[in-house]
Amino acid sequence: MACGFRRSIARQLSRVLDLPPENLIKSISAVPISKKEEEADFQISVDSLLENSSNHSRLNIQNKAVRLAEKLKCDTVVSEISTGQGTINFKINRELLTKTVLQQVIQDGSSYGLESELFSGLPPKKIVVEFSSPNIAKKFHVGHLRSTIIGNFIANLKEALGHQVTRVNYLGDWGMQFGLLGTGFQMFGYEEKLQSNPLQHLFEVYVQVNKEAAEDKSIAKSAHEFFQRLELGEKQALAMWQKFRDLSIEEYVRIYKRLGIHFDEYSGESFYREKSQEVLKWLDNKGLLEKTIKGTSVVDLSRNGDPSSFCTVMRSDGTSLYATRDLAAAIDRMDKYNFDTMIYVTDKGQKKHFQQVFQTLKIMGYDWAERCQHVPFGVVQGMKTRRGDVTFLEDVLNEIRLRMLQNMASVKTTKELENPQETAEKVGLAALIIQDFKGLLLSDYQFSWDRVFQSRGDTGVFLQYTHARLHSLEETFGCGYLNDFNTSCLQEPQSVSILQHLLRFDEVLYRSSQDLQPRHIVSYLLTLSHLAAVAHKTLHIKNSPSEVAGARLHLFRAVRSVLANGMKLLGITPIYKGYSQYVNSGYI
Ligand code: ARG
């Protein structure tokens, strides 16, 4: 944050160590609340300052810490300097800490933490984030759901950090499934159903035609012919395909909107039908295509170390494959966006695919392949809705809404809610996202609706409650007290812990921006909510002298603001109005 405490400490250290302050800033970290044995706010570990820290014994490092600390002096910012295990600890002048943090949080609003010295010197980049990418007429499975929320988080974070982000949805909108769909639709498709519920109807047609094709060989043949017509660009077939695609996208847009997600580009494999042929020609001309005994063509990747490694780019009939289209798409996006980074978000099952695509690009002489990054995530088992396994995104959203409404119905005052459906959906989605973002993205986990919706404990429901509760506090007392504000009234341990925690927000954002893992932000927000719950119980506003009440209100307002910022980055819409009755009803 622009609080500048880190900078002041770095300046002090730089004098003693004879190093430029800029080199020290990132090594100075805010002490996490859970690790607070002392009251220090920041620390620097001494081994981060030593060149070959492994050559130094612990005793040596400790001595070094003590000697260094002796040379440092307290000033108007730092009120105490001490040493921990291999660290030098700094306590910030309490009045200054309170005033600066609260002012900064309130002044910076949604950019609090994002303008920190930790991010300075990072120029804005052009970033393409490709995510969600379902396959038309096929299942929208849990993997697509994860890709959707993870990709959205990454795009939000990058955008918040000032980068220019392009959000791309790369649809599975080409291939044999459209041959089958074309044939199937002629047999059992209904125009009205297609218009009113395209995703559902196309899926039904697809399932049915597959079933029939297993028994009747002529169906496979006509599907093949239909796809051939598409590949050749025949007008009628293309018009049908186009209609399937357009109607599907229309519905996707509407459903993504329920999630608060938008895309800048609906691309798809179909875009690269011709361009992938160009890629194949190019590879062939350069002598990089090798025919296998099976008749397929591959690019040899063994020069990258693995002798058995290759990328299959052409079927024996000359048609392109998934990887070929990805090669063409990457090259096209480079032309179009001139990106500094391109991020692909899919399940870990596609890890090898992306490795091969990136390596092939490199062999083709595209050094920018290094700017491409695959963000893989693990498998979620056991997510079921009333209709069974997840088939449509909309089913998941409906299930969330329904379950949340049921939970809420067990509380009497719910009827008073202005818009219970919408509230239920927002709280439920928060619950789903927090559950998903808690662990390492790469870990697999077993899904449980009960765990998702627990109101106590570390869930998205708890975050939403806390947010709404704090908001209702502002609504109840806000106007009267907010001008009256004396920082010396916030010296109880509960207040100081909150301030210390708020101080760490930039570091948490920095961490997530480095490894693209949302869990740092999730655990930060959960801790913040727990701290707020404790403070809410003990730091009363009602019946407190007005300057105490005003200071506390400021503190709670700051907590709510940072909570909202963090939630929005994760893709959660914080709940404001109409929820306080529910919250105050004692559900939590
Ligand atoms: N449509 C693919 C699937 O459902 C995901 C696409 C991932 N992106 C890519 N550029 N290959 O598996």
Side-chain angles (χ1 to χ4, degrees):
M1 85 196 66
C3 288
F5 294 138
R6 244 185 238 105
R7 202 171 284 280
S8 303
I9 296 170
R11 243 182 263 131
Q12 273 245 30
L13 280 166
S14 104
R15 252 176 264 133
V16 176
L17 293 165
D18 206 17
L19 283 169
E22 304 309 318
N23 297 10
L24 297 164
I25 281 179
K26 287 202 178 114
S27 313
I28 301 167
S29 56
V31 183
I33 297 294
S34 55
K35 290 198 190 131
K36 285 222 149 62
E37 292 127 22
E38 316 119 72
E39 286 199 303
D41 304 301
F42 286 98
Q43 62 179 203
I44 186 162
S45 78
V46 173
D47 59 6
S48 72
L49 301 171
L50 301 173
E51 276 193 2
N52 275 319
S53 61
S54 51
N55 292 345
H56 295 261
S57 69
R58 272 171 74 162
L59 189 65
N60 201 343
I61 290 179
Q62 195 59 31
N63 285 340
K64 191 121 185 140
V66 174
R67 258 179 289 130
L68 256 173
E70 277 166 5
K71 287 192 204 151
L72 298 166
K73 287 193 197 74
C74 294
D75 53 21
T76 48
V77 176
V78 177
S79 66
E80 238 176 80
I81 299 170
S82 57
T83 51
Q85 283 185 346
T87 63
I88 306 176
N89 304 340
F90 303 87
K91 180 176 167 182
I92 303 294
N93 173 307
R94 283 286 166 264
E95 283 256 337
L96 191 69
L97 177 81
T98 314
K99 205 155 139 194
T100 319
V101 171
L102 291 187
Q103 253 174 17
Q104 211 70 53
V105 173
I106 288 165
Q107 240 170 47
D108 288 359
S110 60
S111 63
Y112 174 73
L114 294 161
E115 284 159 13
S116 156
E117 55 258 22
L118 293 177
F119 298 109
S120 67
L122 293 178
K125 298 261 171 69
K126 289 190 214 99
I127 302 178
V128 173
V129 187
E130 190 222 87
F131 63 106
S132 197
S133 308
N135 305 318
I136 294 179
K138 292 193 183 170
K139 272 189 182 185
F140 186 106
H141 52 68
V142 188
H144 293 123
L145 174 62
R146 287 203 88 188
S147 170
T148 309
I149 58 177
I150 295 168
N152 184 50
F153 158 70
I154 293 175
N156 288 347
L157 182 63
K158 295 283 181 190
E159 213 161 67
L161 288 169
H163 302 298
Q164 187 190 322
V165 175
T166 307
R167 297 159 187 252
V168 176
N169 196 331
Y170 182 69
L171 298 173
D173 61 355
W174 201 249
M176 201 34 113
Q177 89 229 44
F178 283 91
L180 279 160
L181 262 188
T183 302
F185 197 79
Q186 283 157 353
M187 296 166 71
F188 12 74
Y190 289 97
E191 191 61 33
E192 310 84 75
K193 282 193 184 173
L194 179 69
Q195 295 290 341
S196 64
N197 206 344
L199 297 181
Q200 163 103 22
H201 190 51
L202 288 177
F203 180 72
E204 283 163 3
V205 170
Y206 185 64
V207 170
Q208 196 169 352
V209 72
N210 264 305
K211 227 189 262 161
E212 307 271 332
E215 320 221 308
D216 180 351
K217 291 278 170 290
S218 71
I219 293 185
K221 198 168 154 253
S222 72
H224 202 83
E225 277 164 17
F226 193 92
F227 187 54
Q228 208 86 49
R229 283 164 62 199
L230 280 174
E231 284 269 338
L232 292 171
E234 200 231 61
K235 259 200 183 146
Q236 249 183 335
L238 269 184
M240 192 178 223
W241 166 83
Q242 189 74 46
K243 186 156 75 179
F244 293 163
R245 187 181 196 272
D246 290 348
L247 289 171
S248 299
I249 291 181
E250 241 174 69
E251 202 175 343
Y252 282 137
V253 171
R254 181 179 62 75
I255 301 164
Y256 286 127
K257 206 165 165 197
R258 267 177 82 176
L259 280 166
I261 292 178
H262 77 278
F263 290 91
D264 299 301
E265 187 185 304
Y266 278 87
S267 155
E269 293 183 44
S270 66
F271 284 33
Y272 301 107
R273 185 166 42 110
E274 280 157 24
K275 287 204 165 94
S276 51
Q277 287 303 325
E278 287 167 24
V279 168
L280 290 173
K281 232 179 263 160
W282 191 94
L283 285 168
D284 198 21
N285 287 341
K286 296 276 171 194
L288 289 167
L289 270 193
E290 287 176 27
K291 264 235 161 7
T292 64
I293 332 169
K294 283 189 259 165
T296 56
S297 298
V298 302
V299 176
D300 179 15
L301 302 175
S302 62
R303 68 173 83 169
N304 290 314
D306 176 0
S308 62
S309 164
F310 57 85
C311 179
T312 309
V313 289
M314 192 165 85
R315 290 201 189 85
S316 52
D317 64 0
T319 52
S320 64
L321 286 151
Y322 184 49
T324 334
R325 295 191 280 275
D326 258 327
L327 292 171
I331 297 167
D332 183 51
R333 288 179 198 162
M334 188 40 148
D335 278 350
K336 200 164 159 192
Y337 300 115
N338 190 22
F339 57 78
D340 297 293
T341 306
M342 173 149 66
I343 295 169
Y344 297 86
V345 187
T346 78
D347 65 88
K348 62 185 179 190
Q350 301 205 30
K351 198 167 168 193
K352 195 159 165 211
H353 162 77
F354 283 106
Q355 267 168 4
Q356 292 179 341
V357 168
F358 301 160
Q359 283 175 6
T360 308
L361 285 169
K362 229 159 160 213
I363 286 177
M364 291 174 80
Y366 295 119
D367 286 340
W368 51 257
E370 281 169 9
R371 303 186 210 164
C372 298
Q373 185 187 357
H374 176 222
V375 176
F377 53 81
V379 181
V380 177
Q381 265 138 3
M383 189 195 275
K384 289 214 189 318
T385 68
R386 242 139 278 230
R387 308 212 305 180
D389 286 335
V390 173
T391 310
F392 302 104
L393 175 55
E394 191 155 34
D395 284 345
V396 181
L397 298 181
N398 292 342
E399 185 82 17
I400 287 173
R401 191 163 63 188
L402 200 76
R403 282 183 184 263
M404 199 59 218
L405 275 172
Q406 275 170 0
N407 279 357
M408 285 159 63
S410 60
V411 183
K412 277 186 240 111
T413 46
T414 306
K415 281 194 208 73
E416 296 158 29
L417 274 177
E418 276 166 28
N419 192 344
Q421 298 261 348
E422 199 186 307
T423 304
E425 184 152 313
K426 285 183 181 153
V427 178
L429 258 172
L432 185 85
I433 291 174
I434 293 300
Q435 151 86 11
D436 196 76
F437 285 1
K438 252 185 192 174
L440 265 180
L441 293 180
L442 207 51
S443 321
D444 303 336
Y445 71 89
Q446 187 69 34
F447 187 83
S448 143
W449 285 112
D450 289 341
R451 203 163 343 114
V452 167
F453 286 122
Q454 268 165 19
S455 61
R456 288 162 207 275
D458 290 343
T459 63
V461 180
F462 175 50
L463 291 189
Q464 288 285 31
Y465 284 161
T466 309
H467 186 270
R469 217 176 188 192
L470 293 173
H471 185 252
S472 91
L473 210 59
E474 277 169 56
E475 290 217 308
T476 317
F477 300 105
C479 315
Y481 290 121
L482 277 177
N483 296 329
D484 212 348
F485 171 30
N486 183 349
T487 44
S488 60
C489 301
L490 293 175
Q491 302 309 324
E492 310 82 355
Q494 303 94 306
S495 308
V496 175
S497 294
I498 288 182
L499 292 163
Q500 287 174 321
H501 195 56
L502 292 176
L503 196 59
R504 263 189 88 227
F505 191 51
D506 60 345
E507 225 167 280
V508 172
L509 296 177
Y510 183 73
R511 236 196 244 181
S512 281
S513 77
Q514 292 293 299
D515 63 8
L516 301 182
Q517 298 285 333
R519 67 190 175 123
H520 310 300
I521 299 177
V522 170
S523 75
Y524 176 89
L525 297 180
L526 288 167
T527 305
L528 184 61
S529 299
H530 283 298
L531 292 172
V534 172
H536 192 248
K537 264 193 216 125
T538 46
L539 305 179
H540 301 288
I541 291 176
K542 210 167 154 184
N543 303 331
S544 293
S546 109
E547 60 173 14
V548 174
R552 289 177 179 174
L553 262 179
H554 261 85
L555 185 72
F556 287 125
R557 192 169 151 207
V559 171
R560 192 195 55 72
S561 170
V562 174
L563 194 57
N565 293 351
M567 284 159 81
K568 285 182 200 160
L569 285 176
L570 297 174
I572 296 170
T573 312
I575 295 295
Y576 290 82
K577 274 214 173 330
Y579 200 45
S580 38
Q581 302 99 314
Y582 178 31
V583 173
N584 290 333
S585 66
Y587 186 63
I588 58 165

